[in-house]
Amino acid sequence: MTLLQAIERVVELSKDSKLSAAFMQKAKKEIDFLAESYGISERQAVLFCICMEKGPHRVDYDDLASHLDINKIAALGFAADIDALVRRRLLRFRDVKDEDDFDVPTAVIRCLKHNEVYELPQRTGLDCAGMFELLNLWFEDLDDDAISARELSEELQKLFDDNPQVGFVRHLKEYYLNDEDTLLVTLFCHLLINRDDDDIRFNQMEDVYESSCLFNNAKAELRSGEHWLMRNNIIEHRCEDGIANNNRYKLTEAAKRTLLAELKINTTEEKIADMVEVNQLTEKKLFFSESIGRQVSDLGSFLQPENFCKVQERMRDRGFRNGFACLFYGSPGTGKTETVYQLARQTGRNIMVVDVPQIKSKWVGESEKNIKALFDRYREMVKTAKLTPILLFNEADAIIGIRKNGAQSAVDKMENSLQNIILQEMESLDGIMIATTNLQQNLDRAFERRFLYKIKFEKPTVEARARIWHEMIPDLSDMDVQTLAEKYDFSGGQIENIARHYNIDCILHGTSDDALAMLIGHCDNERLDSAEQKRIGF
């Protein structure tokens, strides 16, 4: 007998039964099976079956009375049993402020479909990750009004008392918070860990307060920065353009490091780097002059796993640094960034792409923390990755430029400090770093010395441009290709832009009888320094 078969039989026999002794005896086999399976009483088993039939979404005491053919007052006598089923999480109140409506949680129904008994999540002997899995369920209940802030606070206290071994619990208790602040901090940690949300608004906090009065008082203290959690460096305003936004909040870096140390989360203020997996990289044909092509090919050969490991081992044996830093410099659109992607694809390496503008935090002093955290994260990746990933500083002009002598302003001092940290990290680098820049003339000499490979990307020659035009628009005649290659000194990126524009026009308006004329028009528009463009302005 399956659980659903037992429920179906109980529902059938209980109809208009008034929960009589005769019914209980007739359905005893099924009722005992369900009661034993779920660890509930016989009457609770019957009520659960009726809720499944009448719901499973939105059931009330009227439904119970109607099914059993009893009056509504008698049905209200089941309140204690309904409460017990809610505690067992086989039911939940639809609104904690009105306990007359209840439903069967989706998790319980999902288990029934697979003939499985829904078990309460483990509450003792948890690690930090297991605790946050349980917290996620409880905060979902809070969002759905299935549990009140007071009840959740009580559950948290029991959970924390039962799991003193968890570092999160130990450090949270060291703050000596009251119940409301404990719940609020736990909410912030839950949102960060379970929903990757470190940008908290007031509408997300409102449910943790029992009354609008308490919430309004807390909101005023938060906005003014006078809240106890802010004065004690646990939460803080988020920053926008150097100004604190008093409607948005986050855990402080210190609180993250203390409370969430077991989960090893990235605690930098901003997300300053994204991982690009090698399987996300698509093949793209690149066209270089003979000199650049040879240098890129040599670098690609060196980055092949077998060669890279041999070179690193020999460097270590001879006392040399075994990290490798490369600089790609030259005009925009010449393929610097795409070359990094293709090298990564060819050598099977992931890329950690740094968002350079985000490194320079809006708060003076945070930039240094950001860059240190970035290199710490990269070091961890090098240790754990099967193949050493590439650390890419794309358009790195802002952080490898010439340092300022005699810097006086806080910003200048911060930029010099930032550059010094990067220089130190390059000295001890155990991996592969590639930086691209359009402004090589602004490169600080100290950085120049630390780049082992330096490749200058020049605009393609006429022959290379012809090959690019042909690759981008295969239908062009050889004569048209040669005309465009000779007439326009474009980079590969510019040619790609024009090819995309041309293809869009063909889709919208059909293929032109004079493709060359259309392309010449797009080429002229691509040149912002044309005579027509120079007339724009005042």
Side-chain angles (χ1 to χ4, degrees):
M1 179 168 51
T2 68
L3 293 168
L4 284 174
Q5 286 171 341
I7 291 171
E8 183 180 13
R9 179 65 173 163
V10 171
V11 168
E12 178 185 340
L13 294 175
S14 63
K15 179 67 175 171
D16 299 330
S17 70
K18 303 183 189 300
L19 279 187
S20 66
F23 153 69
M24 296 295 288
Q25 184 60 38
K26 192 170 185 180
K28 181 174 176 53
K29 177 182 176 182
E30 290 82 2
I31 293 173
D32 287 349
F33 172 59
L34 292 168
E36 184 178 348
S37 296
Y38 285 107
I40 55 180
S41 73
E42 293 176 359
R43 187 160 74 167
Q44 289 162 14
V46 175
L47 294 174
F48 173 65
C49 294
I50 297 171
C51 289
M52 277 293 300
E53 171 66 15
K54 291 296 184 179
H57 307 298
R58 197 177 189 88
V59 187
D60 59 24
Y61 289 101
D62 287 350
D63 292 320
L64 300 179
S66 172
H67 182 84
L68 294 170
D69 190 27
I70 59 177
N71 61 53
K72 296 177 183 178
I73 294 175
L76 288 174
F78 300 142
D81 293 303
I82 295 298
D83 287 345
L85 288 170
V86 169
R87 287 194 298 274
R88 176 59 179 82
R89 292 187 176 268
L90 296 177
L91 297 180
R92 66 178 182 179
F93 293 122
R94 291 177 58 83
D95 186 340
V96 294
K97 298 174 183 177
D98 179 5
E99 298 181 353
D100 290 339
D101 292 338
F102 30 90
D103 60 21
V104 182
T106 302
V108 177
I109 298 171
R110 188 184 305 119
C111 287
L112 276 170
K113 289 177 179 177
H114 296 89
N115 196 35
E116 297 173 353
V117 173
Y118 175 75
E119 301 290 353
L120 283 170
Q122 183 181 344
R123 296 179 56 123
T124 59
L126 299 174
D127 59 13
C128 194
M131 178 168 286
F132 274 94
E133 286 183 16
L134 185 54
L135 290 176
N136 191 42
L137 295 175
W138 287 353
F139 277 106
E140 284 181 357
D141 284 348
L142 185 67
D143 291 342
D144 294 339
D145 290 328
I147 189 173
S148 69
R150 175 182 52 79
E151 291 169 328
L152 178 53
S153 184
E154 291 172 357
E155 293 277 18
L156 287 182
Q157 190 56 57
K158 294 175 188 174
L159 179 68
F160 295 161
D161 288 344
D162 289 342
N163 293 276
Q165 76 282 355
V166 177
F168 169 74
V169 174
R170 189 169 60 252
H171 292 302
L172 190 61
K173 289 187 174 183
E174 290 172 356
Y175 289 132
Y176 298 102
L177 305 177
N178 62 31
D179 290 347
E180 287 173 358
D181 289 347
T182 296
L183 187 52
L184 186 60
V185 172
T186 305
L187 170 70
F188 272 60
C189 294
H190 149 70
L191 291 172
L192 177 61
I193 297 303
N194 291 321
R195 301 184 188 175
D196 196 24
D197 187 354
D198 198 23
D199 187 0
I200 315 303
R201 275 77 162 177
F202 285 122
N203 66 309
Q204 295 168 280
M205 306 182 211
E206 186 171 4
D207 286 343
V208 306
Y209 293 94
E210 277 291 292
S211 69
S212 58
C213 179
L214 289 172
F215 174 57
N216 289 333
N217 288 339
K219 188 158 58 171
E221 291 179 347
L222 287 165
R223 279 180 167 154
S224 66
E226 292 300 314
H227 195 283
W228 194 93
L229 294 176
M230 301 186 76
R231 287 190 282 109
N232 287 273
N233 197 35
I234 299 173
I235 65 175
E236 64 185 359
H237 293 122
R238 289 196 66 87
C239 176
E240 293 180 334
D241 299 325
I243 300 174
N245 186 326
N246 63 4
N247 289 311
R248 298 167 58 188
Y249 299 85
K250 63 185 284 290
L251 287 168
T252 64
E253 302 305 304
K256 292 177 190 176
R257 286 192 294 269
T258 301
L259 293 171
L260 305 174
E262 295 156 294
L263 300 178
K264 296 183 173 61
I265 65 166
N266 178 20
T267 60
T268 55
E269 180 189 341
E270 304 287 353
K271 186 176 182 182
I272 57 178
D274 284 316
M275 281 303 302
V276 177
E277 304 287 339
V278 65
N279 57 16
Q280 297 175 267
L281 301 172
T282 56
E283 183 176 2
K284 189 171 183 180
K285 195 169 183 179
L286 298 174
F287 299 92
F288 302 118
S289 67
E290 183 178 346
S291 172
I292 298 173
R294 183 172 60 252
Q295 294 177 76
V296 171
S297 178
D298 288 346
L299 181 56
S301 177
F302 161 63
L303 292 179
Q304 289 296 334
E306 60 276 12
N307 294 334
F308 183 74
C309 290
K310 288 178 184 177
V311 173
Q312 273 202 315
E313 185 177 350
R314 180 169 294 187
M315 294 296 104
R316 276 192 292 264
D317 291 344
R318 299 191 177 185
F320 292 119
R321 298 193 305 272
N322 64 345
F324 297 91
C326 314
L327 178 69
F328 292 176
Y329 66 98
S331 303
T334 50
K336 300 183 293 296
T337 304
E338 189 59 47
T339 299
V340 180
Y341 289 156
Q342 293 307 311
L343 286 171
R345 187 189 62 79
Q346 293 163 13
T347 59
R349 301 182 187 277
N350 298 331
I351 310 176
M352 185 175 176
V353 184
V354 180
D355 188 346
V356 173
Q358 287 288 13
I359 292 177
K360 291 191 171 183
S361 170
K362 304 170 184 69
W363 296 108
V364 173
E366 286 297 312
S367 298
E368 294 90 330
K369 295 179 186 177
N370 285 347
I371 198 66
K372 287 178 181 177
L374 171 71
F375 278 100
D376 286 344
R377 180 181 167 196
Y378 179 68
R379 267 189 290 273
E380 285 298 317
M381 291 180 59
V382 170
K383 289 178 184 176
T384 58
K386 186 176 180 181
L387 290 178
T388 300
I390 295 171
L391 178 61
L392 171 60
F393 285 82
N394 201 24
E395 298 183 2
D397 317 274
I399 57 171
I400 62 175
I402 298 171
R403 287 170 289 176
K404 299 174 178 64
N405 293 323
Q408 296 297 320
S409 73
V411 174
D412 288 346
K413 289 178 180 178
M414 178 269 290
E415 291 189 350
N416 282 355
S417 175
L418 193 64
Q419 291 172 316
N420 288 334
I421 292 170
I422 297 173
L423 288 168
Q424 293 167 10
E425 293 288 353
M426 291 177 72
E427 284 290 329
S428 58
L429 181 70
D430 183 14
I432 305 162
M433 171 180 164
I434 301 179
T436 70
T437 177
N438 301 328
L439 305 172
Q440 69 275 12
Q441 66 273 18
N442 291 340
L443 182 67
D444 192 287
R445 285 298 180 88
F447 282 102
E448 186 176 336
R449 291 194 300 272
R450 284 168 174 79
F451 285 113
L452 180 64
Y453 283 82
K454 294 180 276 288
I455 302 178
K456 182 177 182 180
F457 284 71
E458 299 172 330
K459 283 192 174 182
T461 61
V462 172
E463 291 75 16
R465 291 198 296 273
R467 294 202 303 274
I468 297 171
W469 278 112
H470 188 268
E471 178 72 17
M472 296 290 177
I473 311 176
D475 294 338
L476 284 178
S477 68
D478 291 344
M479 183 178 295
D480 288 348
V481 162
Q482 195 63 28
T483 299
L484 292 168
E486 292 176 354
K487 182 177 178 64
Y488 297 100
D489 183 20
F490 283 153
S491 67
Q494 289 173 303
I495 296 174
E496 183 176 5
N497 273 347
I498 295 163
R500 290 173 61 200
H501 199 165
Y502 172 76
N503 277 282
I504 291 171
D505 279 354
C506 288
I507 293 170
L508 295 177
H509 309 297
T511 304
S512 171
D513 293 334
D514 192 350
L516 180 60
M518 180 185 289
L519 285 166
I520 286 175
H522 289 321
C523 289
D524 290 338
N525 290 333
E526 182 72 15
R527 302 176 108 173
L528 295 178
D529 58 348
S530 68
E532 184 68 25
Q533 294 289 341
K534 285 182 179 179
R535 288 200 292 269
I536 297 175
F538 296 96

